[in-house]
Amino acid sequence: MPMQIETTRAGARNALAHYRATGQRIALIPTMGNLHAGHLSLVEYGRQHAERVLVSIFVNPLQFAPNEDFDRYPRTLEADCALLAELGTDLVFAPSTEELYPYGRDHTTQVQVPVLSDLLCGAARPGHFNGVSSLVARLFNLIQPDLAVFGKKDYQQWRLLERMTQELLMPIEIIGLPTHRDSDGLAMSSRNAYLTPAERQTAPQLYKSLQHMQQQVLAGERDFAALTEQCMNQLTQQGWRPDYIEIRRKVDLTPAQANDLTIDLVILAVAWLGKTRLIDNLEL
Ligand code: AMP
């Protein structure tokens, strides 16, 4: 069957009705497009764990603040569809903004996951996670997938959507998959395209710093505040502007305590290189 591309809710519903009537499991992979190998690993997982794979491509205005990169975010629908067809994707859902938010940004119903939406990236980007959860809740209601696959690169997003799904009693399995990296360790991201060649050379330092912190924790360092401060200072000296580097509990992203088991912790980081905001993390 050739891959189907639908841009309307009705079109997606019709295509899905057939899958559901024949008892086929549906995997959903929500994306903003400009697909790279990280996204494709999620699609591959869906392929292996469900009969039908649906990828949504939508640059969600609700999750961008007015001063952010909504307008310049790379949009490459044709190339994305070619990659997805090659992987055996069944359906691409690429709606317009009006299709998902017919009442307009300021009049749209929003879903908020408290606390988890305000920490870390949520503190630096107020409203961002409400935009994410409001979109994903809509996609879940429309598509009613059996499973939905997310990247742990966006660790907080994954945890928050897991919580939303559980609390809103949505019968959907939420999967989080490991971060895909370039050979030098840089986490793959559509925003890497914003980096200048010099910045691209510097960019792998972020992951290296996290690995360095990991080694220190594994060697017994328990003064997490000192460790993160040291890391922030070092990155700053190397020309970065860190938003945060934090050691948190994996399960709810609350601050790590000295007597927590190392295996329960994750290091989370956001730092700017020039005009580009890079995000990364490392599970201990
Ligand atoms: P985005 O298009 O950036 O919204 O990402 C769509 C999905 O792909 C999200 O679940 C991301 O966490 C995931 N993703 C993005 N980059 C990577 C990566 N390098 N490795 C694994 N998953 C990723």
Side-chain angles (χ1 to χ4, degrees):
M1 270 270 284
M3 185 176 82
Q4 246 173 298
I5 303 176
E6 296 293 344
T7 57
T8 64
R9 290 169 291 174
R13 273 240 157 88
N14 281 338
L16 292 163
H18 168 69
Y19 303 158
R20 215 167 283 111
T22 47
Q24 304 183 60
R25 272 166 61 84
I26 299 164
L28 167 66
I29 295 94
T31 79
M32 299 205 296
N34 194 236
L35 303 181
H36 51 63
H39 297 113
L40 300 183
S41 70
L42 312 186
V43 177
E44 191 56 46
Y45 182 97
R47 192 56 300 148
Q48 285 167 13
H49 292 82
E51 278 85 35
R52 297 292 174 178
V53 178
L54 189 156
V55 177
S56 64
I57 298 183
F58 180 63
V59 184
N60 177 25
L62 233 52
Q63 70 189 67
F64 289 81
N67 60 334
E68 292 183 342
D69 58 343
F70 177 74
D71 288 331
R72 67 173 185 141
Y73 197 87
R75 289 160 171 86
T76 53
L77 185 61
E78 223 170 285
D80 292 344
C81 287
L83 288 170
L84 291 172
E86 226 168 274
L87 276 188
T89 306
D90 296 285
L91 180 61
V92 171
F93 179 51
S96 66
T97 300
E98 294 70 32
E99 192 66 22
L100 285 187
Y101 305 123
Y103 300 104
R105 186 182 179 120
D106 295 335
H107 294 253
T108 203
T109 300
Q110 298 222 23
V111 175
Q112 182 182 6
V113 181
V115 187
L116 269 175
S117 62
D118 295 327
L119 327 155
L120 302 168
C121 286
R125 303 180 73 189
H128 167 71
F129 285 115
N130 290 352
V132 172
S133 46
S134 300
L135 169 68
V136 173
R138 271 172 181 70
L139 292 174
F140 282 2
N141 282 332
L142 174 69
I143 289 150
Q144 300 180 12
D146 296 277
L147 61 143
V149 192
F150 297 91
K152 288 195 201 175
K153 185 189 74 113
D154 303 289
Y155 204 89
Q156 184 175 5
Q157 169 176 283
W158 164 57
R159 279 303 194 207
L160 175 137
L161 293 173
E162 195 177 52
R163 173 76 66 85
M164 176 193 81
T165 308
Q166 174 212 337
E167 272 209 87
L168 294 183
L169 311 176
M170 295 164 150
I172 300 167
E173 191 185 343
I174 303 295
I175 310 288
L177 294 186
T179 301
H180 242 67
R181 299 179 180 282
D182 280 335
S183 55
D184 57 10
L186 175 63
M188 286 184 182
S189 164
S190 305
R191 292 195 166 97
N192 293 351
Y194 300 155
L195 297 169
T196 65
E199 288 166 350
R200 177 61 191 81
Q201 293 265 309
T202 308
Q205 281 171 355
L206 183 59
Y207 185 52
K208 290 211 174 74
S209 307
L210 301 189
Q211 287 177 309
H212 183 63
M213 279 178 76
Q214 177 184 38
Q215 281 161 13
Q216 288 171 284
V217 174
L218 293 178
E221 179 59 70
R222 288 277 127 179
D223 187 346
F224 298 145
L227 204 53
T228 48
E229 195 186 320
Q230 203 181 58
C231 182
M232 300 253 281
N233 289 341
Q234 197 179 17
L235 282 169
T236 305
Q237 276 163 24
Q238 291 167 333
W240 294 75
R241 279 174 292 117
D243 259 4
Y244 64 80
I245 316 266
E246 298 267 350
I247 305 183
R248 297 276 173 135
R249 292 173 170 155
K250 287 176 188 171
V251 62
D252 57 8
L253 303 184
T254 53
Q257 303 299 315
N259 59 353
D260 283 338
L261 290 180
T262 301
I263 194 173
D264 292 334
L265 304 178
V266 55
I267 314 175
L268 302 144
V270 167
W272 291 79
L273 252 191
K275 290 187 182 139
T276 309
R277 182 179 186 273
L278 295 178
I279 182 168
D280 207 345
N281 65 76
L282 182 55
E283 289 185 296
L284 295 173

